[in-house]
Amino acid sequence: MNHIESVSVLYEYGQPGVKFHYENGQSRTLRDDEAEQFIALVEKQRHRQDIDFLNTPRIRRYVANQYFH
């Protein structure tokens, strides 16, 4: 399975732009509605107590691989 290795988030005019970078070197840019959904899920997951999230990149990677592979 080709996992997402990193996530780039760029805000332009208040709208998030999200790009996934895969282990095999490929990348994928989310549509605007997907990017908004991704940001909402990251915020929701940030408050979980059962997973140790120490930093934002770890949360983004988790959400990307769980919901957007």
Side-chain angles (χ1 to χ4, degrees), residues 4-41:
I4 296 167
E5 190 173 78
S6 66
V7 179
S8 299
V9 177
L10 174 66
Y11 285 90
E12 186 173 334
Y13 305 111
Q15 290 293 110
V18 178
K19 188 172 194 176
F20 295 154
H21 307 279
Y22 292 90
E23 291 173 329
N24 67 359
Q26 293 181 330
S27 62
R28 171 181 167 216
T29 302
L30 298 183
R31 296 185 319 261
D32 289 346
D33 61 320
E34 291 176 317
E36 290 175 8
Q37 180 184 16
F38 174 79
I39 296 299
L41 284 167

Side-chain angles (χ1 to χ4, degrees), residues 48-55 58-59:
R48 287 180 60 168
Q49 299 296 318
D50 61 324
I51 297 175
D52 183 24
F53 288 134
L54 300 176
N55 57 35
R58 182 178 288 176
I59 298 169

Side-chain angles (χ1 to χ4, degrees), residues 1 3 13 23-24 27 33 37 40 42 45 47 62 67-68:
M1 181 178 209
H3 287 94
Y13 305 111
E23 291 173 329
N24 67 359
S27 62
D33 61 320
Q37 180 184 16
V42 167
Q45 295 297 327
H47 303 292
Y62 172 81
Y67 299 98
F68 290 89

